[in-house]
Amino acid sequence: MRAVVLGAGVAGLACAVELAERGVAVEVLERGERLGAGSCSWYAGGMLAPWCERESAEPQVLTLGVESLGWWAARFPGTVRRGSLVIAHGRDAGELRQFARRTEGYEWLDAPALAALEPDLAGRFSQALYFPQEAHLDPRAALAALAASLTALGVPVRFGTDAQSCRERTLAAQAAGATLMDCRGLEARDALPDLRGVKGEMLIVSLPDVSLSRPVRVLHPRVPVYIVPRGDGHYMIGATMIESDQPTRISARSMLELLGAAYALHPAFGEAQIIEIGTGVRPAFADNLPRVRRIGGTVYVNGLYRHGFLLAPALARQAAEEVLARGDAPEVMHADTRQRRLA
Ligand SMILES: Cc1cc2nc3c(=O)[nH]c(=O)nc-3n(C[C@H](O)[C@H](O)[C@H](O)COP(=O)(O)OP(=O)(O)OC[C@H]3O[C@@H](n4cnc5c(N)ncnc54)[C@H](O)[C@@H]3O)c2cc1C
């Protein structure tokens, strides 16, 4: 069997890996000149946090997300499994209790237990939620690892190749029996008009004086923010959620809010060096759930919203199974071991 995957974001690379591992002859076409150029995946926080996300997401996000923890650990040695923390400032303590009521998989920590886990937060918060099974990764290193795995599996990733401008070639491959797997993120709106964009703004800062070893979410009724350690004293601070498909620059308000939240977590963030300011646009369907959708012989994997790294492995597995079974379901999303088909 042959497959042509369009797009080398996390969805496209995960799909290509799943197909190649099943013996399918795959090639990947990527419009950007290099890994990450023009992709939303480049700006992700890299949190693999299915229990935290369940607080505001459908049950499928938890079920499918749990599957991805092992997938990443098996394929990317940089997957860090130290759990994650959720905290709130005294005046927002109600937010923490509400968060806890809406999910599971956590332990309550008191101040000494929090200090034992993260000594640099000692004395700053009286309680926290700890999700011990969660993980995180550096998305850029993870994308590079997937691309390297593809090279090892003999899969070419053709950068600087716009699938639209070589449409003749992809149609010819399709006519010769190859499956087209479209993972173009928001660009696939020409075929998936129900996709929308949700802009996310983020910062990367350098702060060697503070040591955090797991992601920390700071709850706030209006501006929830998280901080993800990237190693070498670097931290990703994210992320806004703005209903917009414009990857415009960060607004002054967002910058103030992100930095303000980091400063409130630990005043040393006031001295941090800003390394990078980035924005990405998340592709999302109306219900914020991803889809594997087959239209006219092309399989679309899209709508990963704020869960691209969390859900791409499970979606890629579903898509590969669908291709190999030569299924013709218009849409598939397995919520658990039972296959659920959505018309
Ligand atoms: C600030 C921020 C923080 C986030 N944090 C997290 C997080 O902590 N955890 C998590 O799981 N998710 C997170 N996400 C969400 C995650 O980044 C997205 O869900 C994911 O990146 C979507 O991946 P994708 O592969 O569908 O799209 P993309 O990453 O956008 O990839 C699409 C690719 O297709 C290529 N392409 C487009 N058109 C063509 C064409 N015509 N021909 C060839 N190639 C084409 C593009 O160049 C691009 O490389 C975050 C997102 C943002 C913005």
Side-chain angles (χ1 to χ4, degrees), residues 6-13 29-32 36-49 161-165 183-188 198-202 226 228 236 238-240 278-283 301-311:
L6 313 182
V10 69
L13 293 176
L29 309 184
E30 165 55 47
R31 186 171 66 179
S39 83
C40 171
S41 302
W42 199 247
Y43 299 101
M47 290 182 298
L48 305 176
T161 309
D162 188 326
Q164 302 301 78
S165 60
C183 304
R184 287 179 295 136
L186 198 61
E187 289 297 312
V198 182
K199 179 180 167 187
E201 298 153 311
M202 52 80 85
Y226 55 80
V228 188
M236 183 272 193
T240 54
T279 61
V281 182
R282 309 169 182 94
V301 180
N302 217 315
L304 284 130
Y305 181 51
R306 54 182 280 160
H307 305 128
F309 284 80
L310 180 62
L311 298 184

Side-chain angles (χ1 to χ4, degrees), residues 155-277:
V155 175
V157 182
R158 305 191 199 287
F159 290 103
T161 309
D162 188 326
Q164 302 301 78
S165 60
C166 59
R167 200 160 161 70
E168 303 282 301
R169 187 170 126 205
T170 51
L171 288 176
Q174 205 170 19
T179 298
L180 273 196
M181 197 171 274
D182 189 318
C183 304
R184 287 179 295 136
L186 198 61
E187 289 297 312
R189 271 187 304 185
D190 50 6
L192 306 172
D194 49 342
L195 267 184
R196 74 183 204 284
V198 182
K199 179 180 167 187
E201 298 153 311
M202 52 80 85
L203 307 169
I204 297 179
V205 302
S206 169
L207 182 60
D209 295 347
V210 165
S211 171
L212 297 175
S213 51
R214 51 186 59 77
V216 181
R217 293 179 188 233
V218 186
L219 300 184
H220 183 276
R222 208 170 36 79
V223 195
V225 168
Y226 55 80
I227 294 178
V228 188
R230 284 278 166 89
D232 289 337
H234 286 191
Y235 295 92
M236 183 272 193
I237 306 175
T240 54
M241 300 274 290
I242 299 169
E243 290 291 328
S244 166
D245 55 10
Q246 298 302 313
T248 45
R249 290 192 179 153
I250 193 169
S251 69
R253 176 198 299 271
S254 299
M255 183 83 144
L256 283 167
E257 288 175 347
L258 292 176
L259 288 175
Y263 181 67
L265 176 72
H266 197 299
F269 275 95
E271 305 306 319
Q273 305 269 314
I274 297 175
I275 303 288
E276 183 182 325
I277 301 167

